[in-house]
Amino acid sequence: MTASPSTYVAVTLSVYRRERLVKTVTLREPVLRIGTDPRSQLSIDDTTASRTHAVVEVRDDGPTLIDLGTNSGTWVNGARVNRCRLRVGDDIRIGTTHIHVERIESN
């Protein structure tokens, strides 16, 4: 189940391209879309990523990363994943973009 309306969860992510920090964002939506689509909550500029590549579902037990069946896959800490509970310090790779989980906050 996604987080209840009274539950506040914020996920802070740092996005790196070619080992260079591109941006750091804090996301608070219950479902966070990641991909090249500019309408994604986390839009990435990466020709090897899909328009909607993965989502992060914010649940009562924490954020879960879900690959949306992409050819290039979604990787967490060097392992290809279909679904993975995220923790502070995790390194997500989508295409050639690395996304570092900086902080997870909830009330």
Side-chain angles (χ1 to χ4, degrees), residues 35-72:
T36 60
D37 187 333
R39 294 173 296 182
S40 295
Q41 285 83 4
L42 182 55
S43 180
I44 57 176
D45 182 19
D46 189 326
T47 58
T48 60
S50 299
R51 283 183 68 74
T52 304
H53 195 99
V55 296
V56 175
E57 287 185 356
V58 178
R59 302 165 114 18
D60 288 331
D61 62 346
T64 300
L65 177 70
I66 303 166
D67 178 76
L68 296 177
T70 60
N71 289 331
S72 60

Side-chain angles (χ1 to χ4, degrees), residues 8-32:
Y8 169 84
V9 177
V11 180
T12 301
L13 305 169
S14 293
V15 180
Y16 294 85
R17 288 274 297 165
R18 296 182 191 93
E19 299 182 22
R20 194 179 110 237
L21 179 64
V22 175
K23 60 185 163 185
T24 298
V25 296
T26 299
L27 304 167
R28 294 176 176 85
E29 294 85 358
V31 177
L32 317 168

